[in-house]
Amino acid sequence: MMKILVIQQKMIGDVLASSIICNNLKLIYPDSQVDYLVNPFTVPVLENNPNIDNLILFEDRYRKSKLALFKFLIAIRKRKYDLVIDAYGKLESNLVVAFSGAKTRIGFYKPYTNYLYSITVKEIINPITEAGTALENRLNLLMPLAPNAKLKNKPSIFLTEKEIENGKAILVKNKIDFSKKLYMISVLGSGKNKTYPFLYMAKILDRIVEKNQAVLLFNYMPSQEKEAKAIFDLCQPKTQENIKINVVSGSIREFLSITYHCDALIGNEGGAVNMAKAINKPTFTIFSTWIIKEAWNSFENEKSNVSVHLKDFRPELYGTKSAKEMKNEALNLYESFAPELLFPKLESFLENN
């Protein structure tokens, strides 16, 4: 039996995106053992995935202790993998690849790490399909193994019936009116430079309620409670009546089980958007002013998946620079990303979803 290790550290969205590598490896090699090396906090989006045999967790202590890291690398070597696919391509995964002892080692082309891999793949900049470059580049890592295979490009999250029922029970307990549209709002990004300005977000929420009297749920981390309440306070009284701010999921899986019963997810680009897409929920995504939209606007169709980026409306603010090159200007650029720019696309989305 072929033993395969897929490596993808970093955030939830990245780990979910790279899970398509595991899914497709099972199509290419049905009898293989596919292990997936990830950070512990990303595990919830991988639970119940039938294409992953073992999760290998890269714990924080490996970053803090050279001895702990060395013991971990030796443990990887002892697993005797035949194939290692590195979708991360940073120092930590470079070390895993180097110690793995695998005969076939596939990673992205970088001049300074090429010697670690037996096969390298150059990343593409412009998307070829509706999946976007973040997913396309990950699938390209499989091309050397099966150049003619029909690969599946959409990540999936596998909820159990019990989880779905639990999500419904939480909404019923909180007296949600199911005769109205129900939207999950990704009200905050993972950081300040990934968060649509509070006053602008409040105006977006006001417009949603004005248009279809929808019930709104807020998705945010416990550490962001103060910021979420600040956005709530900026909303019009009628909007506040329609926001169920106390319906807060206690875990990622609970968030997913609640979102499963929503009509759509609307808000800041990030892990929540990617998770919603993976359970086939419509999404309206507000991209940060410095994130490259073409990488992460997967399966956009102007109906069930819609996204907006400042560069779409005000390209002159960027000139010849890419969005990522403007990272240091992210907060200043947000000031120009007025909600009125978004309203036409938002209202069309609301009509469809």
Side-chain angles (χ1 to χ4, degrees), residues 8-12 15-16 36-47 55-64 72 92 251-253:
Q8 175 65 77
Q9 290 150 264
K10 214 177 175 184
M11 305 303 284
I12 283 175
V15 167
L16 180 57
Y36 195 13
L37 192 161
V38 298
N39 292 328
F41 69 88
T42 67
V43 167
V45 298
L46 305 173
E47 288 178 19
L55 290 173
I56 311 296
L57 303 183
F58 193 93
E59 300 175 12
D60 281 342
R61 62 192 178 95
Y62 302 147
R63 297 187 180 93
K64 298 173 182 175
F72 173 75
E92 291 169 357
S251 67
I252 291 173
R253 296 297 290 191

Side-chain angles (χ1 to χ4, degrees), residues 123-140:
E123 294 183 74
I124 60 171
I125 299 172
N126 298 310
I128 298 170
T129 72
E130 79 285 356
T133 57
L135 295 173
E136 288 174 4
N137 279 316
R138 286 165 166 85
L139 286 183
N140 285 342

Side-chain angles (χ1 to χ4, degrees), residues 156-174:
S156 295
I157 290 176
F158 300 84
L159 291 173
T160 65
E161 286 300 321
K162 185 177 181 180
E163 287 175 316
I164 292 169
E165 290 170 9
N166 182 59
K168 183 70 174 285
I170 291 169
L171 296 174
V172 170
K173 182 181 177 181
N174 284 277

Side-chain angles (χ1 to χ4, degrees), residues 84-261:
V84 173
I85 299 176
D86 180 9
Y88 186 46
K90 301 289 176 67
L91 177 60
E92 291 169 357
S93 61
N94 294 158
L95 289 171
V96 174
V97 171
F99 271 79
S100 70
K103 183 178 179 181
T104 306
R105 304 173 306 282
I106 303 175
F108 292 118
Y109 173 84
K110 291 180 181 177
Y112 49 91
T113 56
N114 272 0
Y115 68 95
L116 294 173
Y117 303 91
S118 58
I119 301 171
T120 57
V121 175
K122 287 192 175 181
E123 294 183 74
I124 60 171
I125 299 172
N126 298 310
I128 298 170
T129 72
E130 79 285 356
T133 57
L135 295 173
E136 288 174 4
N137 279 316
R138 286 165 166 85
L139 286 183
N140 285 342
L141 291 171
L142 296 174
M143 286 298 103
L145 302 173
N148 299 315
K150 281 194 171 183
L151 303 180
K152 295 181 179 180
N153 61 4
K154 193 170 188 293
S156 295
I157 290 176
F158 300 84
L159 291 173
T160 65
E161 286 300 321
K162 185 177 181 180
E163 287 175 316
I164 292 169
E165 290 170 9
N166 182 59
K168 183 70 174 285
I170 291 169
L171 296 174
V172 170
K173 182 181 177 181
N174 284 277
K175 298 181 171 56
I176 298 299
D177 184 352
F178 290 100
S179 68
K180 296 182 177 181
K181 291 285 186 178
L182 179 62
Y183 298 135
M184 180 64 74
I185 307 298
S186 184
V187 71
L188 294 156
S190 57
K192 196 171 183 181
N193 67 1
K194 278 190 163 187
T195 297
Y196 196 54
F198 290 9
L199 181 59
Y200 288 0
M201 179 59 79
K203 288 183 177 180
I204 291 288
L205 303 182
D206 288 340
R207 181 56 65 101
I208 294 171
V209 172
E210 178 190 332
K211 284 296 174 183
N212 64 8
Q213 291 72 53
V215 177
L216 310 180
L217 308 177
F218 277 11
N219 173 49
Y220 58 90
M221 295 183 291
S223 61
Q224 297 174 316
E225 183 177 359
K226 184 178 178 182
E227 290 90 342
K229 184 64 166 57
I231 294 172
F232 174 87
D233 290 340
L234 289 168
C235 292
Q236 296 292 328
K238 174 61 179 172
T239 305
Q240 292 179 351
E241 290 175 14
N242 285 42
I243 297 173
K244 302 297 182 182
I245 198 167
N246 294 323
V247 182
V248 181
S249 54
S251 67
I252 291 173
R253 296 297 290 191
E254 195 166 271
F255 158 75
L256 289 163
S257 72
I258 293 171
T259 304
Y260 180 90
H261 298 283

